[in-house]
């Protein structure tokens, strides 16, 4: 991650709230994935962060994309991606997604058996398997649990593959994604072993998704994935990292607007749930870095500006006591930070900047108030 001096420089140059990214860290994360998974094809789960500059950087390094919405498909089309570079996934694809994805020649991940009738004969598909596992992550992130909305039940997979082939679809293989922020290789191994026992005939792809925690044992996960690929007789292994590639590259910079004591001690800052939803959405914990030399250390809640009691970026964290105007960096925020930011309370979404080869680049300008309401009016008024 970038040095405190560079983070402070960014806050002073571009203002706060601000998202900053370290291009070298993105490259490093991709290198770690390739070192672990060898010749596996890498498709970036772009929902983690779909900024065009990041997508272009990854594509230049041979990475494809997993798209899960019409907007994401529109982005990869704008990039000029070929169908071989794109996977279309998601539990509720629209007609627009089917039409655009098929026109591109993308590979579709079928999330339920009824999707067989929704794609045209000749379309390349993977069947997503729900391995019905309890894994070590938040319930909202456990996509491979029996109660989740994702994938086809194990007992229905062989029938699903048969139906897809009878409908004229090109069944390339199987897909599994058990959740996000999962650290233990054993969790992934259990899922891969269940797939390896299926009898689905000849396939050429096993797509093992992503969801690896930032400190996960990639080599252990990759070893178990290759064993499952070989057991199924597939020739290709595909992976879909999202958060792993970009989380550590990014930080959210915010400034202190005040301190407050109630039943707890608060540091009130200019960023909150509208800039970084993860802490409120599923209790995510982000490391903090004080970009100031403060006074005596204290235990604080880092609270945002929204009129919501849950608008906390961090709870019970030890920080040097700050002064108004001091900056704090919320680290590991490159994934699901800017991507989930909102205009709730008519707040303008923050700017995004990238540090690359010794220079800053603005990769998304800060919104203005009129940007927020532009679609509501025939002509947005200009502020004086």
């Amino acid at each position: 991650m970038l040095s405190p001096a560079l983070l402070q420089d960014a806050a002073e140059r571009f203002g706060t709230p601000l998202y900053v990214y370290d291009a070298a860290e993105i490259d490093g994360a991709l290198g770690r994935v390739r070192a672990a998974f060898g010749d596996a094809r890498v498709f970036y789960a772009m929902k983690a962060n779909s900024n065009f500059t990041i997508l272009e950087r990854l594509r230049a390094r041979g990475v494809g994309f997993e798209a899960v919405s019409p907007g994401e498909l529109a982005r990869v089309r704008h990039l000029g991606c070929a169908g071989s570079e794109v996977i279309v996934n998601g539990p509720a694809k629209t007609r627009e997604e089917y039409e655009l994805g098929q026109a591109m020649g993308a590979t579709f991940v079928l999330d339920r058996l009824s999707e067989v009738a929704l794609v045209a004969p000749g379309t390349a598909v993977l069947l997503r398997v729900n391995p019905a596992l309890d894994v070590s992550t938040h319930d909202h992130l456990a996509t491979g649990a029996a109660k989740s909305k994702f994938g086809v039940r194990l007992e229905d997979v062989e029938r699903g593959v048969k139906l897809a082939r009878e409908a004229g679809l090109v069944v390339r293989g199987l897909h599994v994604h058990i959740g996000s922020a999962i650290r233990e290789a054993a969790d992934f191994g259990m899922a891969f072993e269940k797939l390896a026992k299926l009898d689905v005939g000849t396939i050429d792809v096993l797509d093992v998704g992503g969801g690896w925690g930032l400190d996960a044992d990639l080599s252990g996960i990759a070893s178990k994935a290759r064993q499952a690929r070989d057991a199924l007789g597939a020739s290709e292994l595909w992976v879909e990292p999202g958060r792993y590639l970009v989380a550590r590259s990014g930080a959210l910079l915010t400034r202190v607007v005040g301190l407050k004591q109630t039943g707890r001690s608060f540091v009130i800052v200019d960023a909150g749930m509208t800039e970084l939803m993860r802490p409120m959405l599923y209790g995510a914990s982000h490391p903090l870095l004080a970009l100031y030399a403060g006074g005596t250390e204290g235990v604080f809640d880092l609270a945002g500006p929204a009129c919501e009691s849950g608008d906390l970026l961090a709870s019970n964290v030890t920080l040097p006591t700050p002064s108004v105007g001091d900056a704090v960096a919320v680290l590991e925020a490159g994934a699901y930070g800017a991507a989930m930011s909102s205009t709730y309370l008519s707040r303008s979404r923050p700017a995004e900047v990238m540090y690359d080869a010794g220079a800053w680049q603005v990769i998304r300008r800060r919104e203005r108030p009129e940007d927020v309401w532009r679609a509501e009016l025939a002509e947005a008024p200009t502020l004086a």
Side-chain angles (χ1 to χ4, degrees):
M1 188 54 218
L2 300 171
S3 70
L6 280 172
L7 295 174
Q8 183 71 279
D9 176 59
E12 291 173 0
R13 286 196 194 198
F14 304 107
T16 60
L18 177 72
Y19 273 102
V20 299
Y21 305 101
D22 180 3
E25 174 55 35
I26 296 174
D27 295 347
L30 178 59
R32 293 191 293 274
V33 171
R34 286 186 162 145
F37 286 91
D39 61 356
R41 290 196 63 190
V42 180
F43 293 85
Y44 172 56
M46 57 192 293
K47 60 183 177 290
N49 189 321
S50 60
N51 186 286
F52 272 122
T53 299
I54 291 174
L55 300 185
E56 288 168 345
R57 187 177 196 89
L58 291 171
R59 189 180 182 220
R61 286 153 178 77
V63 175
F65 302 103
E66 182 221 22
V68 296
S69 74
E72 289 186 350
L73 266 179
R75 281 181 183 262
V76 296
R77 180 178 62 177
H78 183 80
L79 286 173
C81 292
S84 60
E85 299 174 80
V86 181
I87 298 171
V88 183
N89 205 344
K93 303 177 191 70
T94 64
R95 176 175 297 188
E96 182 181 1
E97 287 169 273
Y98 290 120
E99 291 176 351
L100 179 54
Q102 287 170 159
M104 294 178 66
T107 298
F108 278 77
V109 177
L110 304 184
D111 195 75
R112 61 187 189 279
L113 297 189
S114 58
E115 274 197 275
V116 167
L118 300 176
V119 291
T123 302
V125 300
L126 305 173
L127 195 70
R128 180 165 180 168
V129 181
N130 183 325
L133 290 178
D134 292 324
V135 295
S136 53
T137 192
H138 192 284
D139 281 352
H140 294 177
L141 303 176
T143 57
K147 63 183 179 181
S148 85
K149 66 181 180 181
F150 297 99
V152 175
R153 295 180 303 178
L154 280 164
E155 59 265 35
D156 294 330
V157 170
E158 293 171 9
R159 179 168 66 92
V161 170
K162 183 174 182 290
L163 289 172
R165 286 178 172 144
E166 289 174 347
L169 307 185
V170 179
V171 181
R172 301 234 24 218
L174 301 179
H175 177 288
V176 65
H177 178 75
I178 62 174
S180 298
I182 300 171
R183 301 175 59 229
E184 301 299 328
D187 286 339
F188 293 95
M190 287 189 293
F192 303 160
E193 288 169 10
K194 289 190 176 188
L195 267 66
K197 294 176 182 177
L198 294 168
D199 181 7
V200 292
T202 302
I203 61 171
D204 60 347
V205 172
L206 174 61
D207 185 331
V208 295
W212 322 312
L214 300 184
D215 56 352
D217 175 13
L218 288 195
S219 294
I221 296 167
S223 176
K224 294 179 183 297
R226 284 190 287 268
Q227 290 171 21
R229 176 200 59 192
D230 294 345
L232 285 164
S235 57
E236 296 184 38
L237 183 65
W238 293 4
V239 294
E240 299 172 7
R243 179 171 174 259
Y244 189 89
L245 290 183
V246 294
R248 282 186 172 144
S249 76
L252 171 62
L253 306 187
T254 182
R255 287 199 184 276
V256 176
V257 299
L259 280 73
K260 185 172 184 178
Q261 185 72 47
T262 59
R264 301 176 68 83
S265 297
F266 293 96
V267 174
I268 311 295
V269 293
D270 64 1
M273 59 178 280
T274 48
E275 288 70 41
L276 183 61
M277 176 65 79
R278 295 184 76 248
M280 187 175 184
L281 186 62
Y282 29 68
S285 177
H286 288 260
L288 302 181
L289 177 63
L291 302 179
Y292 58 90
T296 305
E297 285 189 339
V299 177
F300 300 98
D301 288 353
L302 198 67
C307 294
E308 304 275 353
S309 295
D311 183 25
L312 300 174
L313 293 177
S315 300
N316 294 317
V317 292
T318 300
L319 289 171
T321 301
S323 299
V324 172
D326 285 340
V328 177
V330 184
L331 304 180
E332 297 179 2
Y336 304 107
M340 283 184 168
S341 62
S342 76
T343 58
Y344 176 51
L345 306 178
S346 288
R347 284 178 61 83
S348 301
R349 285 174 293 188
E352 298 173 67
V353 299
M354 178 175 284
Y355 190 77
D356 186 19
W360 290 110
Q361 176 189 5
V362 177
I363 62 174
R364 190 179 195 277
R365 67 169 176 81
R366 188 178 305 281
E367 285 183 335
R368 299 162 297 185
E370 58 265 37
D371 293 325
V372 175
W373 67 60
R374 189 173 305 280
E376 300 171 34
L377 304 174
E379 287 189 15
T382 300
L383 296 183

